[in-house]
Amino acid sequence: ELLIKKADTRDRSVYRFVHDMVQNTVYQGIEQQERVHMLKEIADTLIARTYEGRRDAILFIIVDLINRVSPSNTPIADDRMRYAKLNLLAGEKAIQTPDFSSAFEFIESGISFLNDDHWEHEYDLSLALFK
């Protein structure tokens, strides 16, 4: 009760931590593998439930989540390619801002999600990330 506060919106209740330090302490208390699973689940839910016209608004949030998951915790090739593509989109958006430092980080993360055989199976994506 003293750590979480309730905020009622139009059609639902939302719970928030009273301070970001409380949230950070709870987050740090979650085991690493469970934290990775939670971040991946949140990212995948946002990807699935965000319609194309609104995706730009939360693109950087999604990419931040998937980059915290990391390629080493993403064994499924299709997920890795999807995450690489999202990093490419975020990098391109950051260049338009222009936030070149963030763009570089997004592109580097996108490259890290590529599979070993990316030049044979994802040539266009690989070319876009490496250009």
Side-chain angles (χ1 to χ4, degrees), residues 87-104:
N87 268 287
L88 176 61
L89 286 173
E92 291 171 345
K93 288 280 183 202
I95 287 171
Q96 292 171 0
T97 308
D99 181 359
F100 300 115
S101 175
S102 294
F104 177 77

Side-chain angles (χ1 to χ4, degrees), residues 38-60:
M38 178 183 66
L39 291 171
K40 186 174 182 332
E41 190 174 312
I42 293 169
D44 289 341
T45 300
L46 285 173
I47 292 167
R49 293 191 177 179
T50 304
Y51 58 91
E52 206 58 42
R54 179 139 158 49
R55 185 157 294 162
D56 285 351
I58 63 167
L59 176 64
F60 296 112

Side-chain angles (χ1 to χ4, degrees), residues 12-84:
R12 62 188 170 132
S13 295
V14 178
Y15 293 88
R16 293 194 167 99
F17 290 100
V18 294
H19 195 277
D20 62 337
M21 292 299 293
V22 174
Q23 178 182 356
N24 190 37
T25 302
V26 171
Y27 181 77
Q28 295 301 324
I30 300 171
E31 289 185 34
Q32 178 65 23
Q33 277 308 109
E34 183 62 29
R35 195 177 323 156
V36 166
H37 176 73
M38 178 183 66
L39 291 171
K40 186 174 182 332
E41 190 174 312
I42 293 169
D44 289 341
T45 300
L46 285 173
I47 292 167
R49 293 191 177 179
T50 304
Y51 58 91
E52 206 58 42
R54 179 139 158 49
R55 185 157 294 162
D56 285 351
I58 63 167
L59 176 64
F60 296 112
I61 295 169
I62 292 170
V63 170
D64 176 60
L65 290 167
I66 62 177
N67 289 343
R68 286 199 263 160
V69 169
S70 85
S72 62
N73 292 308
T74 311
I76 300 170
D78 288 344
D79 287 345
R80 293 172 65 91
M81 290 306 96
R82 182 169 36 142
Y83 295 169

